Amino acid sequence: RLFLSALTGTAAIIGAEILFKREKIANNERIAQVLSGIGLAALYFSSYALSRVYDLTTVFVSFALMCAVTALAVFLCFRHRKTPLAVLTVIGGFLTPALVREAAGDIYFFTGYSILCSVLFLIIAKNLKSPLLAIFDLALLFGWVFVQMGSSYTPFDSVLFFCVGGVVFFAASFLFTGGDKRTLQLQRLAGGAVILMMLTLVVRAHYGRSEE
């Protein structure tokens, strides 16, 4: 089942690449985007089910494979510059550590992964000239970080999460400049989330909540 799922996903992506070049076929780009989405979803499921559903390997293998699928999706985003494909890439990138949390449990690894994915997705959004995609990226990032901060992490771990927010805030401010409405919303979201992180750090330091 997993082999057939992975084979189907690979075939769908190859078929999409062929369709992208067939300009004479009606709606070739839309069909190709659908095929790319189906292919990536099938590869994500195969990688996840390998350990979570069928218990054929460890979660670390599933995590590595899901990261590889995300890397493939990022490549396709730069290659074709299609917003629906980019949205799927952002979702898949943030779902990976959420679905296999044991593999991404190390705080330093999680911090590095979050920064790398977020900045990459911001670059994709900049390449697509889509502040809305960048807002979606930051909303998922900060939502996930606050979920982690609410669990049993030490105050020092919260400082690392604050560093994630700070780096991504400066990356967003550097990549997206201008006075249009969505760019301003993006800057306010990033700045507001960083301020909220600071307040969370103060509260946690005051009450001394730490890992048990």
Side-chain angles (χ1 to χ4, degrees):
R1 291 175 183 177
L2 292 177
F3 175 77
L4 289 176
S5 177
L7 184 63
T8 300
T10 303
I13 291 175
I14 293 174
E17 290 300 301
I18 295 173
L19 273 176
F20 271 119
K21 299 178 181 179
R22 297 292 189 270
E23 297 181 357
K24 294 182 180 180
I25 298 178
N27 297 320
N28 67 310
E29 291 192 354
R30 292 183 179 179
I31 298 174
Q33 289 182 67
V34 172
L35 284 177
S36 295
I38 292 173
L40 291 172
L43 291 177
Y44 271 123
F45 171 76
S46 300
S47 302
Y48 170 78
L50 194 63
S51 64
R52 288 300 199 184
V53 178
Y54 295 103
D55 198 25
L56 296 176
T57 186
T58 64
V59 293
F60 296 97
V61 174
S62 286
F63 180 78
L65 291 174
M66 293 176 77
C67 287
V69 177
T70 300
L72 173 61
V74 169
F75 170 77
L76 293 176
C77 286
F78 281 111
R79 180 178 175 84
H80 300 297
R81 299 180 61 181
K82 301 298 180 183
T83 300
L85 185 59
V87 171
L88 178 61
T89 302
V90 173
I91 294 174
F94 284 113
L95 273 181
T96 294
L99 293 175
V100 283
R101 294 188 63 176
E102 294 90 339
D106 183 79
I107 183 61
Y108 297 102
F109 182 83
F110 175 80
T111 300
Y113 178 89
S114 300
I115 291 175
L116 177 62
C117 282
S118 300
V119 173
L120 270 177
F121 298 154
L122 286 174
I123 294 173
I124 292 173
K126 175 65 175 180
N127 192 39
L128 292 171
K129 299 179 180 179
S130 175
L132 189 60
L133 178 62
I135 291 173
F136 181 63
D137 170 30
L138 294 190
L140 289 181
L141 168 69
F142 289 125
W144 179 232
V145 167
F146 280 118
V147 168
Q148 295 285 25
M149 290 179 71
S151 62
S152 57
Y153 281 94
T154 66
F156 176 73
D157 294 339
S158 298
V159 174
L160 291 178
F161 292 145
F162 172 73
C163 292
V164 172
V167 170
V168 174
F169 167 72
F170 284 112
S173 300
F174 175 77
L175 291 172
F176 290 88
T177 58
D180 60 282
K181 182 178 179 180
R182 288 181 177 176
T183 299
L184 291 175
Q185 288 176 342
L186 170 63
Q187 295 171 350
R188 290 169 182 169
L189 171 63
V194 172
I195 292 173
L196 187 56
M197 283 183 181
M198 292 178 64
L199 294 175
T200 305
L201 284 174
V202 172
V203 171
R204 294 192 63 157
H206 177 72
Y207 289 101
R209 183 179 177 182
S210 61
E211 188 175 14
E212 297 179 357

